[in-house]
Amino acid sequence: MANLSIQHIDKIYDNNVQAVYDFNLDVKDGEFIVLVGPSGCGKSTTLRMVAGLEDITKGKLLLDGKDITNAPAKDRDMAMVFQNYALYGHMTIYENMAFSLTLRKENPNVIHKKVLAAAEILGLTEQLNKKPNQLSGGQRQRVAMGRSIVRNPKLFLFDEPLSNLDAKLRGATRREIMLLHKRLGATMMYVTHDQTEALTLADRIVCMSMGHVQQIGTPIELYDHPANLFVATFIGLPPMNIFDVKVEQGYLIGKTAQIKMTDEEKEKLADYEGRKIVMGVRPENIVEGGDIKVKVFDNENLGMNTLVHGYIGEHGDGSKIVAKLRGWCNYKAGDIASLEFTYKHFFDVDTQNAI
């Protein structure tokens, strides 16, 4: 399919507002890249620069080694799937899927074969004679994907394609996109603000904030080894618990609790003796039976897990905490839970980078 090289790309708008800073990424042939981050972080702008829908202020864009930095969108051999489907309401599903090929005046027999093949992949064979308004949101999004498939582009681009679907349809359509990627072996770039989509779909994730790339890596790398406090708190649900602590003589001293450090933690934090740091603990890295006392104020039973919300300290005057405990728990407001942290992350107070 395609190798894409994005080299030191900036985007500065006419009002001197910079949306993207020094974006660098090499996308391998057949790779599924997901750009994730909060609204306004620059991820959609980056995708639109790749597509040719936004001018690149600075930097280079190479597709299979060819410089396409200033090439028109129509000459980039890319197909984009938008969140609003962008289907023609007066056309049938067949006509929508065939539209780009018809414009290119391809052989009608070739068009017919390509549309039928794409419809079969996406389970749309029975819908080809219908109009878009007769289909569900999930089906319409599949039509938009089918319209891209028939073009056989070098690169598929997805801009928040599931954001208009309800939760159940999002899950189903996400799985269809995963299967589509495996079946086509296509190179794909996908933009979302939903970390679940990022973690489940991506070969590699690009996590962005305020126009800057914060970290690039596999889903498990971002989850287990976040580069900084932003990535740590953005990736993971419920979010990572964050505490201000002081490193002191083998202990992590918090407002209402002190935790004995392991030998590994002592070695890692040797340069921070007597200093304040930020400690992060994922809710799923907390278990019952430890020395940390938490005063509970809420208990959410989710079936296989329970989210226990509380404040550290028997008097409930410490930091807020959420624990994701295994099984069904019956804590009530005011109960004292005894908890243990099985794994902790540490961050520098000043740089916010991982220690």
Side-chain angles (χ1 to χ4, degrees):
M1 278 285 180
N3 292 286
L4 180 72
S5 182
I6 306 172
Q7 301 178 359
H8 301 287
I9 281 180
D10 288 353
K11 177 60 181 180
I12 305 172
Y13 287 104
D14 292 339
N15 57 1
N16 287 325
V17 172
Q18 188 155 355
V20 178
Y21 297 80
D22 195 30
F23 189 102
N24 273 290
L25 179 68
D26 286 322
V27 183
K28 301 169 195 162
D29 182 28
E31 195 171 20
F32 199 128
I33 295 290
V34 177
L35 277 59
V36 69
S39 296
C41 72
K43 57 189 185 296
S44 287
T45 301
T46 302
L47 194 76
R48 290 174 64 83
M49 285 192 287
V50 171
L53 302 177
E54 292 276 4
D55 292 332
I56 294 171
T57 306
K58 182 182 175 184
K60 290 175 71 175
L61 187 67
L62 304 179
L63 185 63
D64 288 337
K66 180 183 176 183
D67 191 338
I68 60 166
T69 308
N70 300 309
K74 64 182 179 62
D75 296 333
R76 296 195 178 196
D77 200 8
M78 301 176 186
M80 194 156 178
V81 179
F82 299 91
Q83 67 183 65
N84 62 357
Y85 322 131
L87 302 178
Y88 297 106
H90 64 286
M91 293 183 181
T92 64
I93 301 310
Y94 182 99
E95 291 167 337
N96 267 282
M97 289 174 65
F99 184 70
S100 62
L101 303 183
T102 304
L103 276 183
R104 281 164 25 185
K105 298 183 179 178
E106 282 206 22
N107 184 304
N109 290 330
V110 173
I111 293 174
H112 187 67
K113 286 180 182 178
K114 287 183 176 180
V115 171
L116 290 184
E120 185 178 351
I121 289 171
L122 295 166
L124 291 169
T125 306
E126 302 298 320
Q127 318 298 334
L128 290 176
N129 291 322
K130 294 181 179 178
K131 298 285 181 68
N133 63 5
Q134 295 175 277
L135 272 56
S136 69
Q139 288 173 321
R140 276 179 274 179
Q141 191 55 275
R142 277 187 275 158
V143 174
M145 288 191 285
R147 188 176 49 194
S148 296
I149 292 170
V150 298
R151 290 179 53 192
N152 192 29
K154 285 189 173 182
L155 184 66
F156 286 83
L157 306 174
F158 294 85
D159 189 9
E160 306 240 20
L162 309 185
S163 60
N164 286 338
L165 305 179
D166 63 40
K168 186 176 179 181
L169 269 178
R170 272 202 305 274
T173 309
R174 185 175 70 240
R175 287 189 291 275
E176 287 174 3
I177 293 173
M178 289 172 65
L179 293 171
L180 179 66
H181 177 246
K182 288 176 182 176
R183 185 161 182 175
L184 298 178
T187 310
M188 295 183 173
M189 286 188 71
Y190 186 106
V191 160
T192 182
H193 64 274
D194 187 325
Q195 56 160 301
T196 302
E197 290 176 32
L199 290 169
T200 54
L201 287 172
D203 292 321
R204 283 190 297 156
I205 295 172
V206 181
C207 188
M208 297 183 69
S209 173
M210 300 180 69
H212 295 272
V213 173
Q214 300 295 316
Q215 188 173 356
I216 300 174
T218 64
I220 196 65
E221 284 171 347
L222 268 70
Y223 181 83
D224 279 349
H225 304 288
N228 54 43
L229 201 52
F230 173 82
V231 178
T233 53
F234 188 82
I235 300 294
L237 196 68
M240 183 182 286
N241 295 290
I242 297 299
F243 310 105
D244 293 322
V245 297
K246 187 177 181 181
V247 180
E248 199 166 281
Q249 297 181 345
Y251 285 88
L252 298 165
I253 311 295
K255 183 180 177 182
T256 56
Q258 62 179 29
I259 303 168
K260 189 173 183 179
M261 295 160 60
T262 65
D263 290 341
E264 185 181 348
E265 289 168 351
K266 288 177 187 176
E267 185 178 344
K268 181 184 284 190
L269 299 174
D271 294 338
Y272 287 84
E273 178 64 33
R275 293 167 58 185
K276 289 183 178 179
I277 62 169
V278 177
M279 179 178 74
V281 181
R282 294 203 180 278
E284 51 271 35
N285 291 146
I286 301 174
V287 296
E288 294 180 281
D291 297 328
I292 301 166
K293 303 300 180 184
V294 171
K295 188 169 185 178
V296 176
F297 70 82
D298 195 18
N299 188 71
E300 293 181 77
N301 284 305
L302 304 176
M304 290 183 66
N305 303 103
T306 302
L307 294 183
V308 178
H309 302 259
Y311 291 95
I312 293 180
E314 293 190 39
H315 301 293
D317 53 352
S319 301
K320 192 175 180 179
I321 185 171
V322 179
K324 187 176 184 179
L325 304 179
R326 291 182 63 83
W328 191 278
C329 301
N330 291 309
Y331 289 108
K332 298 178 181 62
D335 285 352
I336 305 298
S338 299
L339 304 177
E340 180 183 348
F341 300 158
T342 60
Y343 188 82
K344 300 180 279 292
H345 300 263
F346 303 107
F347 304 91
D348 186 281
V349 169
D350 297 321
T351 66
Q352 299 203 337
N353 290 333
I355 297 172

